[in-house]
Amino acid sequence: MKIQGVFVVDATELADGVRLCAARAVDAEGLEQIARQLEAPQELASRLQPGLVSELAARGISANEVSRHARDFPYLHLKGVFDPADLPDTPLNWTPIPDTRGTLTLRVAILLLSRLSGMELVSYKSENGGALFVNLVTLDGQGAMAEKSKGPMKGHTDAASFPFRGTNDPSDERIAPSPDVVFLAALRNQDGVPTTVMPLHGILGGLTAAQIEVLKGDRVTLLAQRSFQRGTREILGEAHVLYNSHVLHESDEGTWVRYSHSNNVVDSEDVEIVSAKERFEQTCLLCAQQVVLQPGDVLLVNNRKALHGRAPVGEANGGTSRWLVRGYGLDTTGLEAGRRYEGTPYMLYP
Ligand SMILES: [Fe+2]
């Protein structure tokens, strides 16, 4: 459907079509087999694509519309995309994801949505050893990571220190772009903890033209996201840092953002950048929208046109505590082979 130049997808029909196709694939192949096939996600997506396309065509939806929607809009909340069945206790770590019908239909559903969005499901070797999907749960034990997993998460884009698609890191051109889309799927969220999304168009609306220009200048240093710090240190020799760079970028697809409230540094004597950053962060708070994911829901967050975060999760872990699964999508058209790891079908450098 096209309204005033903008593609709008019928979220209910899309969720229904994807649910049917994902469930069909898992039931036809069996759990063990589909778990193995997910190790070569592009091959599996290609096999499932014809059935998916005709299922959606019957519902009046084309892949092109989904792709446009995923790129144009800050987020897309799809309800009831998979059946969160047969769940064991919520895991205590990022990996592994236990192979049950519920978690496998979830993963196939995300794979189908990434294919419809014109994207490849990818991971980065420096984060969680390159796992394609990870549990977002309250982590077991002590330490900064465990603490961070319980608290609120301020607005950020994922892998914010990595380049925008179509650009290079100034010090290492092998570094792959950050993801275009972050897929968040809920298996459990009994306290209804909201995910927050801050659309970029709302943030920009609260800034002056001069402040926008300042944020397009090379005046912000972005440190690696916490989950990437150890891995980038191992691969690059030191944790990745993007020194004195821009957080807003003009692309062919409009203005893009990369940002992290907790991992950026500016020169405190540069009053222009200090005040632009302050205003940017105030406006993020003002335009934050809350999305409560229910079990079975999938949220596509546009990682270039929105920041995301979440409310505090609380102390509980394991058992029936909150459990989301995350995957990354990237439009890999034109991605140089050197930005991938040879012999792995989805892992990007670093
Ligand atoms: Fe994130």
mmCIF file of all heavy atoms in Angstrom, residues 100-122:
data_model
loop_
_atom_site.group_PDB
_atom_site.id
_atom_site.type_symbol
_atom_site.label_atom_id
_atom_site.label_comp_id
_atom_site.label_asym_id
_atom_site.label_seq_id
_atom_site.Cartn_x
_atom_site.Cartn_y
_atom_site.Cartn_z
ATOM 1 N N THR A 100 14.165 -25.222 20.699
ATOM 2 C CA THR A 100 12.802 -25.729 20.894
ATOM 3 C C THR A 100 11.965 -25.230 19.723
ATOM 4 O O THR A 100 12.415 -24.347 18.963
ATOM 5 C CB THR A 100 12.169 -25.196 22.196
ATOM 6 O OG1 THR A 100 11.934 -23.780 22.032
ATOM 7 C CG2 THR A 100 13.084 -25.413 23.392
ATOM 8 N N ARG A 101 10.755 -25.746 19.609
ATOM 9 C CA ARG A 101 9.916 -25.306 18.496
ATOM 10 C C ARG A 101 9.713 -23.790 18.541
ATOM 11 O O ARG A 101 9.766 -23.107 17.528
ATOM 12 C CB ARG A 101 8.568 -26.034 18.520
ATOM 13 C CG ARG A 101 7.746 -25.752 17.294
ATOM 14 C CD ARG A 101 6.474 -26.560 17.214
ATOM 15 N NE ARG A 101 5.790 -26.270 15.956
ATOM 16 C CZ ARG A 101 5.088 -25.164 15.745
ATOM 17 N NH1 ARG A 101 4.959 -24.262 16.694
ATOM 18 N NH2 ARG A 101 4.515 -24.962 14.559
ATOM 19 N N GLY A 102 9.497 -23.269 19.764
ATOM 20 C CA GLY A 102 9.267 -21.826 19.909
ATOM 21 C C GLY A 102 10.465 -20.999 19.456
ATOM 22 O O GLY A 102 10.326 -20.038 18.690
ATOM 23 N N THR A 103 11.667 -21.376 19.917
ATOM 24 C CA THR A 103 12.839 -20.550 19.574
ATOM 25 C C THR A 103 13.233 -20.743 18.111
ATOM 26 O O THR A 103 13.811 -19.841 17.497
ATOM 27 C CB THR A 103 14.056 -20.866 20.461
ATOM 28 O OG1 THR A 103 14.562 -22.158 20.145
ATOM 29 C CG2 THR A 103 13.714 -20.802 21.944
ATOM 30 N N LEU A 104 12.933 -21.913 17.561
ATOM 31 C CA LEU A 104 13.292 -22.134 16.149
ATOM 32 C C LEU A 104 12.320 -21.420 15.214
ATOM 33 O O LEU A 104 12.743 -20.831 14.218
ATOM 34 C CB LEU A 104 13.374 -23.632 15.850
ATOM 35 C CG LEU A 104 14.633 -24.285 16.446
ATOM 36 C CD1 LEU A 104 14.488 -25.793 16.547
ATOM 37 C CD2 LEU A 104 15.880 -23.916 15.651
ATOM 38 N N THR A 105 11.023 -21.436 15.541
ATOM 39 C CA THR A 105 10.092 -20.673 14.675
ATOM 40 C C THR A 105 10.409 -19.181 14.792
ATOM 41 O O THR A 105 10.315 -18.449 13.805
ATOM 42 C CB THR A 105 8.607 -20.931 15.008
ATOM 43 O OG1 THR A 105 8.405 -20.794 16.399
ATOM 44 C CG2 THR A 105 8.151 -22.295 14.542
ATOM 45 N N LEU A 106 10.808 -18.744 15.979
ATOM 46 C CA LEU A 106 11.237 -17.338 16.146
ATOM 47 C C LEU A 106 12.382 -17.027 15.178
ATOM 48 O O LEU A 106 12.349 -16.023 14.448
ATOM 49 C CB LEU A 106 11.675 -17.123 17.594
ATOM 50 C CG LEU A 106 12.317 -15.788 18.001
ATOM 51 C CD1 LEU A 106 12.206 -15.618 19.511
ATOM 52 C CD2 LEU A 106 13.764 -15.640 17.593
ATOM 53 N N ARG A 107 13.402 -17.883 15.176
ATOM 54 C CA ARG A 107 14.578 -17.591 14.347
ATOM 55 C C ARG A 107 14.246 -17.646 12.859
ATOM 56 O O ARG A 107 14.728 -16.821 12.069
ATOM 57 C CB ARG A 107 15.720 -18.548 14.718
ATOM 58 C CG ARG A 107 16.397 -18.135 16.030
ATOM 59 C CD ARG A 107 17.405 -19.146 16.499
ATOM 60 N NE ARG A 107 16.793 -20.220 17.273
ATOM 61 C CZ ARG A 107 17.458 -21.276 17.746
ATOM 62 N NH1 ARG A 107 18.756 -21.396 17.499
ATOM 63 N NH2 ARG A 107 16.829 -22.198 18.454
ATOM 64 N N VAL A 108 13.396 -18.607 12.483
ATOM 65 C CA VAL A 108 13.018 -18.666 11.064
ATOM 66 C C VAL A 108 12.190 -17.425 10.707
ATOM 67 O O VAL A 108 12.362 -16.838 9.631
ATOM 68 C CB VAL A 108 12.259 -19.976 10.749
ATOM 69 C CG1 VAL A 108 11.722 -19.959 9.326
ATOM 70 C CG2 VAL A 108 13.163 -21.184 10.959
ATOM 71 N N ALA A 109 11.326 -16.994 11.625
ATOM 72 C CA ALA A 109 10.507 -15.797 11.345
ATOM 73 C C ALA A 109 11.404 -14.574 11.142
ATOM 74 O O ALA A 109 11.188 -13.776 10.219
ATOM 75 C CB ALA A 109 9.516 -15.556 12.481
ATOM 76 N N ILE A 110 12.423 -14.415 11.975
ATOM 77 C CA ILE A 110 13.338 -13.278 11.803
ATOM 78 C C ILE A 110 14.082 -13.394 10.469
ATOM 79 O O ILE A 110 14.254 -12.414 9.744
ATOM 80 C CB ILE A 110 14.339 -13.183 12.988
ATOM 81 C CG1 ILE A 110 13.604 -12.730 14.248
ATOM 82 C CG2 ILE A 110 15.490 -12.227 12.665
ATOM 83 C CD1 ILE A 110 14.506 -12.562 15.476
ATOM 84 N N LEU A 111 14.495 -14.615 10.139
ATOM 85 C CA LEU A 111 15.186 -14.822 8.868
ATOM 86 C C LEU A 111 14.287 -14.412 7.693
ATOM 87 O O LEU A 111 14.732 -13.725 6.761
ATOM 88 C CB LEU A 111 15.604 -16.295 8.732
ATOM 89 C CG LEU A 111 16.252 -16.683 7.410
ATOM 90 C CD1 LEU A 111 17.593 -15.982 7.226
ATOM 91 C CD2 LEU A 111 16.433 -18.199 7.322
ATOM 92 N N LEU A 112 13.015 -14.814 7.744
ATOM 93 C CA LEU A 112 12.088 -14.464 6.660
ATOM 94 C C LEU A 112 11.898 -12.941 6.593
ATOM 95 O O LEU A 112 11.855 -12.357 5.508
ATOM 96 C CB LEU A 112 10.742 -15.158 6.869
ATOM 97 C CG LEU A 112 10.764 -16.696 6.826
ATOM 98 C CD1 LEU A 112 9.369 -17.261 7.079
ATOM 99 C CD2 LEU A 112 11.296 -17.201 5.485
ATOM 100 N N LEU A 113 11.793 -12.317 7.748
ATOM 101 C CA LEU A 113 11.600 -10.856 7.758
ATOM 102 C C LEU A 113 12.833 -10.138 7.222
ATOM 103 O O LEU A 113 12.718 -9.119 6.543
ATOM 104 C CB LEU A 113 11.272 -10.379 9.182
ATOM 105 C CG LEU A 113 9.851 -10.724 9.630
ATOM 106 C CD1 LEU A 113 9.694 -10.571 11.139
ATOM 107 C CD2 LEU A 113 8.831 -9.837 8.900
ATOM 108 N N SER A 114 14.018 -10.689 7.514
ATOM 109 C CA SER A 114 15.219 -10.035 6.994
ATOM 110 C C SER A 114 15.277 -10.192 5.481
ATOM 111 O O SER A 114 15.626 -9.247 4.765
ATOM 112 C CB SER A 114 16.485 -10.575 7.664
ATOM 113 O OG SER A 114 16.778 -11.865 7.209
ATOM 114 N N ARG A 115 14.906 -11.363 4.982
ATOM 115 C CA ARG A 115 14.901 -11.555 3.524
ATOM 116 C C ARG A 115 13.899 -10.611 2.860
ATOM 117 O O ARG A 115 14.185 -9.983 1.839
ATOM 118 C CB ARG A 115 14.579 -13.027 3.221
ATOM 119 C CG ARG A 115 14.421 -13.371 1.748
ATOM 120 C CD ARG A 115 15.614 -12.961 0.895
ATOM 121 N NE ARG A 115 16.840 -13.689 1.136
ATOM 122 C CZ ARG A 115 17.292 -14.710 0.413
ATOM 123 N NH1 ARG A 115 16.614 -15.117 -0.631
ATOM 124 N NH2 ARG A 115 18.433 -15.303 0.709
ATOM 125 N N LEU A 116 12.718 -10.483 3.462
ATOM 126 C CA LEU A 116 11.712 -9.575 2.901
ATOM 127 C C LEU A 116 12.198 -8.130 2.923
ATOM 128 O O LEU A 116 11.841 -7.327 2.061
ATOM 129 C CB LEU A 116 10.405 -9.660 3.710
ATOM 130 C CG LEU A 116 9.577 -10.924 3.522
ATOM 131 C CD1 LEU A 116 8.451 -10.941 4.548
ATOM 132 C CD2 LEU A 116 8.998 -11.010 2.105
ATOM 133 N N SER A 117 13.022 -7.796 3.912
ATOM 134 C CA SER A 117 13.537 -6.429 4.023
ATOM 135 C C SER A 117 14.708 -6.192 3.077
ATOM 136 O O SER A 117 15.299 -5.106 3.079
ATOM 137 C CB SER A 117 14.008 -6.147 5.458
ATOM 138 O OG SER A 117 12.998 -6.460 6.377
ATOM 139 N N GLY A 118 15.070 -7.212 2.297
ATOM 140 C CA GLY A 118 16.201 -7.073 1.374
ATOM 141 C C GLY A 118 17.519 -7.107 2.120
ATOM 142 O O GLY A 118 18.492 -6.486 1.706
ATOM 143 N N MET A 119 17.544 -7.813 3.231
ATOM 144 C CA MET A 119 18.749 -7.833 4.051
ATOM 145 C C MET A 119 19.189 -9.248 4.363
ATOM 146 O O MET A 119 18.420 -10.196 4.285
ATOM 147 C CB MET A 119 18.499 -7.080 5.358
ATOM 148 C CG MET A 119 18.377 -5.606 5.088
ATOM 149 S SD MET A 119 17.870 -4.669 6.478
ATOM 150 C CE MET A 119 17.380 -3.161 5.631
ATOM 151 N N GLU A 120 20.459 -9.321 4.728
ATOM 152 C CA GLU A 120 21.047 -10.587 5.116
ATOM 153 C C GLU A 120 21.121 -10.584 6.639
ATOM 154 O O GLU A 120 21.369 -9.539 7.246
ATOM 155 C CB GLU A 120 22.462 -10.629 4.530
ATOM 156 C CG GLU A 120 23.048 -11.985 4.391
ATOM 157 C CD GLU A 120 24.446 -11.931 3.756
ATOM 158 O OE1 GLU A 120 24.641 -11.217 2.750
ATOM 159 O OE2 GLU A 120 25.320 -12.595 4.286
ATOM 160 N N LEU A 121 20.897 -11.739 7.243
ATOM 161 C CA LEU A 121 21.110 -11.839 8.692
ATOM 162 C C LEU A 121 22.606 -11.954 8.923
ATOM 163 O O LEU A 121 23.252 -12.810 8.323
ATOM 164 C CB LEU A 121 20.435 -13.082 9.253
ATOM 165 C CG LEU A 121 19.005 -12.980 9.751
ATOM 166 C CD1 LEU A 121 18.622 -14.282 10.437
ATOM 167 C CD2 LEU A 121 18.790 -11.805 10.682
ATOM 168 N N VAL A 122 23.149 -11.095 9.774
ATOM 169 C CA VAL A 122 24.592 -11.085 9.984
ATOM 170 C C VAL A 122 24.918 -11.046 11.476
ATOM 171 O O VAL A 122 24.064 -10.736 12.312
ATOM 172 C CB VAL A 122 25.264 -9.864 9.309
ATOM 173 C CG1 VAL A 122 25.111 -9.913 7.802
ATOM 174 C CG2 VAL A 122 24.720 -8.556 9.874
#
